[in-house]
Amino acid sequence: MSERSEFADLYSAIEESARVHEVPYAHDKVRAVLSAYQDTMTPATPIAFRMGTGARYSSDVDWRFPVPVTDGPDPYTVALQHGLLEDGDHPVFSLYAEVLERCKVHCYGIDFGAASGLNKLYVAFPPDDMEPLSKLLDLPSMPRGVAENYDFFARHDMDRAQMPMFAIDYRDRTVNVYFNGLSAKALEPDSIRSIFRDLELPAPSERVLKLSEQAIGAYATIGWDSPKIERFAFTIPGTNPADLPVEMEPEIAKFLDSIGDQAIGDRFVYYVAMSSTGEEVYKFQVYYQFKPWLDSMMSPGSDESPSA
């Protein structure tokens, strides 16, 4: 793939996002990802990018796009074929195939960093036939923390919520378990406080409580080294940052001011997360390329959710 191809503008946007966020731009890594999956990308492919606060998110700008299910190799196999990932003995390298064998798949997703290259692969389940969390618990390569935290998920009604997708982070060796369709009661302040107590986290701030009340979903990040949930996040969609119940974090506001027309319209996804260290983390996802069918994924009653 050449910078003179139809992807030239995308390369420029990725480089600009890195410059604005003051992180390195690894052109060769970005090119390797886009080259590997270019046959699945069309002018209709939605493309999003995201930055965040805190130590974990300050070193990169994440970009992501969906990949359709085809008769060809799955995204993990493609990543191996193009040298984006190296196979190994760690269960992170066998889990993707186990999920694909066990579950029905609507589409895949690719997540890469402007500085780091390929990071994460998603599996999105059919909107009208999402998988329950219980379907994944006994996979041989699944982190044991997913099963060990099942009582926590059930206690907060997440075992009955829609599970739109599942993600594997190869850089950090963690998985993300996503839930949609959370009840209004599950997002009330007392319920959020109960979630944080169960996770042995500091009490949520008023900022967290206000944002979580507007969430359409939540997700938990779990690794193989410990059964403890490393991060718990809420997903808040919007069309106008001014409508958020709190002011955006200064770093995010600065980033948005700087990228200007690199983002399409005002559609966005705001994330508030609490890490196991007690750090509040905020992330903001906007769209470089947005398609109308994504509107249904940005409403409180949605059956799907934007990737996180």
Side-chain angles (χ1 to χ4, degrees):
M1 180 184 296
S2 166
E3 291 89 306
R4 294 184 297 275
S5 72
E6 66 271 25
F7 288 88
D9 289 344
L10 178 56
Y11 279 119
S12 295
I14 296 170
E15 183 174 12
E16 176 66 7
S17 72
R19 185 193 67 78
V20 168
H21 198 45
E22 299 179 350
V23 300
Y25 171 58
H27 175 72
D28 288 347
K29 292 181 180 179
V30 170
R31 178 175 178 170
V33 173
L34 295 182
S35 296
Y37 298 102
Q38 63 180 329
D39 291 342
T40 67
M41 299 180 71
T42 73
T45 299
I47 302 173
F49 59 103
R50 185 189 69 188
M51 54 77 64
T53 67
R56 184 178 184 277
Y57 298 102
S58 62
S59 60
D60 213 345
V61 179
D62 290 332
W63 285 72
R64 66 275 315 277
F65 56 89
V67 171
V69 176
T70 67
D71 292 334
D74 63 78
Y76 179 76
T77 301
V78 172
L80 291 179
Q81 291 173 343
H82 288 263
L84 303 177
L85 294 173
E86 294 184 5
D87 208 352
D89 295 332
H90 192 281
V92 71
F93 298 112
S94 52
L95 181 57
Y96 201 80
E98 293 174 6
V99 174
L100 298 189
E101 183 177 354
R102 175 73 61 90
C103 301
K104 296 177 289 293
V105 179
H106 175 59
C107 69
Y108 308 112
I110 310 299
D111 185 305
F112 67 97
S116 57
L118 183 70
N119 294 323
K120 191 182 300 180
L121 297 178
Y122 295 87
V123 176
F125 305 121
D128 57 352
D129 193 15
M130 296 185 189
E131 299 289 2
L133 176 60
S134 58
K135 191 75 169 283
L136 302 179
L137 296 183
D138 62 346
L139 292 175
S141 300
M142 185 67 67
R144 62 189 176 90
V146 176
E148 292 188 15
N149 282 289
Y150 187 78
D151 287 346
F152 162 79
F153 295 126
R155 194 159 51 248
H156 297 283
D157 290 332
M158 295 175 206
D159 62 322
R160 294 181 291 179
Q162 302 155 340
M163 189 174 171
M165 65 182 71
F166 177 79
I168 303 173
D169 189 319
Y170 293 91
R171 180 180 62 180
D172 292 333
R173 297 194 173 182
T174 58
V175 301
N176 282 355
V177 182
Y178 297 86
F179 304 96
N180 256 20
L182 300 180
S183 68
K185 180 174 177 56
L187 296 172
E188 291 177 353
D190 284 347
S191 298
I192 303 303
R193 293 187 184 99
S194 176
I195 287 173
F196 279 47
R197 282 196 301 271
D198 280 0
L199 294 175
E200 299 180 349
L201 293 171
S205 65
E206 286 302 310
R207 180 184 180 87
V208 171
L209 294 175
K210 287 180 179 179
L211 285 168
S212 59
E213 281 189 297
Q214 296 191 2
I216 62 167
Y219 69 90
T221 300
I222 304 171
W224 278 267
D225 293 338
S226 166
K228 190 176 182 65
I229 291 176
E230 294 186 14
R231 282 179 306 281
F232 194 84
F234 296 96
T235 306
I236 303 97
T239 56
N240 185 350
D243 292 336
L244 288 170
V246 300
E247 291 186 2
M248 290 185 298
E249 290 292 291
E251 304 99 304
I252 295 176
K254 178 183 176 182
F255 182 77
L256 286 180
D257 288 342
S258 300
I259 60 174
D261 59 5
Q262 294 286 1
I264 302 299
D266 292 319
R267 293 177 178 87
F268 66 87
V269 185
Y270 202 59
Y271 303 88
V272 54
M274 181 69 78
S275 74
S276 58
T277 62
E279 180 188 28
E280 287 185 11
V281 176
Y282 297 89
K283 297 177 285 183
F284 198 96
Q285 177 173 300
V286 286
Y287 292 84
Y288 166 78
Q289 188 164 287
F290 189 97
K291 293 301 169 185
W293 61 265
L294 280 175
D295 280 321
S296 65
M297 301 167 66
M298 303 282 284
S299 61
S302 167
D303 285 339
E304 299 187 49
S305 78
S307 57

